Amino acid sequence: MTLPTVPSADAPVHVEGGTQRPFSEHAAMARAYPGGRMTVGAITPLESFEGPVPSLAGHIERIQQAERAGFASVWVRDVPLLDPSFGDAGQVFDPWVYLGQLSARTTSITLGTASIVMPLRHPLHTAKAAASVDQLSGGRLLLGVATGDRPVEFPAFGQDLAGRAERFRQSLEYFRVVLEHRFPHVESPLGRMRGTDLLPKPVYRRIPVLMTGHGRQDVRWIADNTDGWLYYTPPLQQQAENIERWRELTRGDGGGFKPYAQATYLDLTEDPLALPRRIHQGFSVGRVSFLAMMRAWQDIGIDQLMINFKHSRRPVAEVIDELAEHVLPHFPPGRFAARGEHRRPVERTGS
């Protein structure tokens, strides 16, 4: 069977959405979340660094290396202001500008946000930027969204921290309406639209939206209103219970398979036999034990492991090469679904 590829970024841009592909054929979702097995993503910046600000030396080269190595996706951060007490400024560059650069410097890797802080941006700006990146990359965008967890940012933007949960819901509804409908009629606390349209429309009939954490929302709301869940690294049994609950809430709702991903900090040691040691939101571990951990995470139903290299004690280029040789072949990116076919999760095995 011939499987479709990500649409070419050189193809005609149908800005008005007249030839959008069905969401069930979303090639970037298929690459990141094939269903039934786990893939691996990388969180920017792909470097180890002390303090909150990375050097960004060779940052594009590292992402290109990750694409060649077999990472399914790369995730950029939305950190508008430096809060030294928080300890991480992400990749520093604005996520939309950075994704525009990455769409031109990569070919097939899925481009994700982890995550856009919806209450700090007007949904029309978010929709315009997201659809632009989606078109420029050939439909490779996955939109991770968040409510925001850095209190110092909200007064700087003139926003009420206490109202961010409600504004998040309003923003997401506005975002989806203007991208999924032609000339929509919008009456929202965030704005009104009548007789005008937002262009471009995305390559597929909608942009996948994935929730980060709880975002001060009920889990059932997340299951009903997003296309997937990005979570952290709790103990294995707790994560298994989270995933079981997620599957219960998303099974049989007619919306198709909704993935569950885990973000984990990794310090891959030089000793391949080193046993795992807990670090902040992750592990210092040798590749043999890490491979065993990854198989355990796959067995409980994690659809993608999103690796953050901030606490790596080794050069990240060296770590990526080791993962490419010994680990990533066991968790390759998904193949793209055939046209007209819906992807269905396959039964998980203990492999």
Side-chain angles (χ1 to χ4, degrees), residues 116-121 146-148 154 159 164-165 167-168 171:
I116 296 299
V117 183
M118 296 292 281
L120 297 184
R121 298 173 179 268
T147 306
F154 285 80
Q159 295 295 332
R164 66 190 187 276
R167 184 178 175 91
F168 173 86
S171 295

Side-chain angles (χ1 to χ4, degrees), residues 70-83:
F71 281 80
S73 57
V74 61
W75 300 86
V76 306
R77 316 276 295 284
D78 185 14
V79 185
L81 300 176
L82 172 62
D83 178 2

Side-chain angles (χ1 to χ4, degrees), residues 45-331:
L46 274 60
E47 68 170 273
S48 59
F49 56 101
E50 298 290 338
V53 183
S55 71
L56 296 174
H59 58 102
I60 297 293
E61 183 181 352
R62 290 289 76 72
I63 291 172
Q64 292 171 328
Q65 180 190 9
E67 181 176 48
R68 294 191 302 269
F71 281 80
S73 57
V74 61
W75 300 86
V76 306
R77 316 276 295 284
D78 185 14
V79 185
L81 300 176
L82 172 62
D83 178 2
S85 66
F86 204 90
D88 192 346
Q91 79 283 329
V92 180
F93 298 123
D94 176 86
W96 298 119
V97 176
Y98 198 47
L99 286 169
Q101 173 83 328
L102 294 182
S103 70
R105 302 291 294 274
T106 60
T107 58
S108 61
I109 196 168
T110 293
L111 305 175
T113 62
S115 287
I116 296 299
V117 183
M118 296 292 281
L120 297 184
R121 298 173 179 268
H122 194 279
L124 283 177
H125 288 138
T126 302
K128 183 86 171 183
S132 298
V133 168
D134 192 61
Q135 283 284 358
L136 290 169
S137 67
R140 288 190 280 146
L141 180 67
L142 304 182
L143 187 76
V145 294
T147 306
D149 58 2
R150 306 188 184 203
V152 298
E153 293 175 341
F154 285 80
F157 283 91
Q159 295 295 332
D160 175 24
L161 180 67
R164 66 190 187 276
E166 181 179 10
R167 184 178 175 91
F168 173 86
R169 294 190 298 271
Q170 294 167 345
S171 295
L172 186 57
E173 181 181 12
Y174 202 150
F175 169 89
R176 283 197 141 152
V177 167
V178 298
L179 285 185
E180 296 169 23
H181 297 86
R182 297 292 312 280
F183 292 91
H185 179 200
V186 178
E187 292 289 338
S188 166
L190 305 182
R192 298 180 297 277
M193 281 181 64
R194 185 188 291 271
T196 187
D197 200 9
L198 184 134
L199 301 177
K201 301 302 185 190
V203 174
Y204 297 88
R205 288 179 186 161
R206 72 173 188 268
I207 290 176
V209 173
L210 303 102
M211 186 73 192
T212 297
H214 284 87
R216 306 177 73 84
Q217 312 298 326
D218 180 77
V219 177
R220 185 175 295 277
W221 184 93
I222 298 171
D224 290 343
N225 291 276
T226 71
D227 300 300
W229 202 3
L230 312 179
Y231 210 72
Y232 307 104
T233 310
L236 187 68
Q237 183 56 40
Q238 181 182 339
Q239 191 74 296
E241 293 170 0
N242 290 342
I243 294 170
E244 182 177 5
R245 174 64 170 157
W246 178 249
R247 302 299 184 213
E248 290 173 356
L249 291 172
T250 58
R251 186 181 297 118
D253 66 353
F257 167 60
K258 295 187 176 184
Y260 187 104
Q262 173 180 295
T264 299
Y265 285 80
L266 174 66
D267 171 31
L268 195 70
T269 65
E270 290 186 356
D271 178 5
L273 300 179
L275 297 176
R277 175 177 60 85
R278 263 286 188 178
I279 59 175
H280 174 69
Q281 288 293 330
F283 297 91
S284 177
V285 62
R287 71 164 185 266
V288 174
S289 292
F290 185 53
L291 185 57
M293 294 169 68
M294 293 178 71
R295 284 172 169 154
W297 284 327
Q298 178 175 253
D299 288 344
I300 65 170
I302 290 174
D303 296 296
Q304 183 170 115
L305 180 68
M306 304 160 63
I307 296 177
N308 191 318
F309 294 101
K310 183 180 190 300
H311 300 308
S312 176
R313 290 174 294 175
R314 299 167 57 193
V316 171
E318 179 181 307
V319 173
I320 290 175
D321 282 343
E322 184 170 343
L323 293 174
E325 182 177 358
H326 299 284
V327 175
L328 294 176
H330 299 279
F331 306 96

